[in-house]
Amino acid sequence: GLTGAVIVLPQGVAFATIAGLPPEYGLYSAIIPTIIAALFGSSLHLISGPTTALTILIFANVATLAHPFTPEYIQLVLTLTFLAGLIQLGLGLARLGAVVNFVSHPVVVGFTAGAAILIITSQLNHFFGLSLPKGHSFIRVWESLFVQINLSNPYVLSIGTFTLAATIFLKGFFPRLPDMLIALVGGSILSYSLGGQEHGVKLVGALPASLPPLSAPDITLRTLR
């Protein structure tokens, strides 16, 4: 449990950021579904918390309708996840889980590769310290990157490069160590040493210590369309 909590802390925050949500939403979605899955789920292998593919799917679909991190965007995400839950419940009651067995391996590989490209593209602004357009095709974002790359924040870029390089190095030479966790700690120390916050490095900051108030999804016809 402690190992899982330590790993999901940075992962949950990262997933929420990728999805365009406040960081605490990543932790909530890692806690509540896990409890429900433990009580009612039957699979020993299914991931019950947030995943990379789900976060980028949410961002790619909802970012075209509202600006990320805004109340309207969060409301749309809640509606989307509510609808996804209804569909999953219906599939479960109809005993249609076996349909997944008919999804071919090339389709899964293609989906995973596409999700990876979208994730990389969505994080370019954070890696280079730039303000790139959101809600557009990945080609448009990469074009903007090449136009503005000379305006990159050297502090942000140095910390991102160090963290990524440390992860790859540890994963290749010390696979038994928690590479991502060590790299994140190392990147945090480097940011503190360079005075990152004073040089444009955005910090997550303190997370709210209480759960958000319960709210109902917006299921009006306009939102559903």
Side-chain angles (χ1 to χ4, degrees):
L2 178 61
T3 303
V6 169
I7 292 175
V8 83
L9 177 61
Q11 271 194 341
V13 171
F15 285 152
T17 304
I18 293 174
L21 295 168
E24 60 269 20
Y25 279 78
L27 300 181
Y28 301 149
S29 60
I31 296 171
I32 306 302
T34 305
I35 296 173
I36 296 174
L39 294 174
F40 303 105
S42 59
S43 174
L44 298 178
H45 309 286
L46 188 66
I47 297 176
S48 54
T51 63
T52 311
L54 287 178
T55 54
I56 196 62
L57 277 175
I58 289 174
F59 177 82
N61 284 280
V62 185
T64 59
L65 305 175
H67 197 277
F69 302 102
T70 61
E72 182 185 4
Y73 182 90
I74 296 174
Q75 187 72 48
L76 290 175
V77 171
L78 292 176
T79 304
L80 176 63
T81 52
F82 174 74
L83 292 176
L86 285 181
I87 294 171
Q88 290 178 329
L89 180 61
L91 293 173
L93 293 176
R95 304 287 185 179
L96 293 178
V99 173
V100 178
N101 297 328
F102 296 99
V103 179
S104 65
H105 182 67
V107 171
V108 175
V109 172
F111 175 82
T112 306
I117 293 174
L118 288 176
I119 291 168
I120 293 172
T121 303
S122 69
Q123 298 306 298
L124 290 176
N125 55 337
H126 302 297
F127 191 85
F128 290 92
L130 297 172
S131 179
L132 301 176
K134 297 180 182 294
H136 296 278
S137 67
F138 74 95
I139 295 178
R140 170 80 180 278
V141 177
W142 281 91
E143 288 177 348
S144 300
L145 172 65
F146 289 125
V147 171
Q148 305 181 41
I149 196 167
N150 60 316
L151 303 176
S152 300
N153 186 320
Y155 291 89
V156 176
L157 182 58
S158 299
I159 295 169
T161 302
F162 171 82
T163 306
L164 180 61
T167 303
I168 296 174
F169 174 80
L170 292 171
K171 192 174 186 64
F173 293 95
F174 303 96
R176 297 178 64 87
L177 295 178
D179 48 276
M180 287 189 289
L181 183 61
I182 296 176
L184 285 172
V185 172
S188 301
I189 295 174
L190 178 62
S191 176
Y192 180 79
S193 302
L194 296 176
Q197 191 172 10
E198 290 77 23
H199 295 90
V201 178
K202 296 181 180 179
L203 304 182
V204 174
L207 301 181
S210 60
L211 293 173
L214 293 176
S215 58
D218 182 10
I219 53 176
T220 60
L221 181 60
R222 174 180 173 273
T223 301
L224 294 178
R225 290 182 59 186

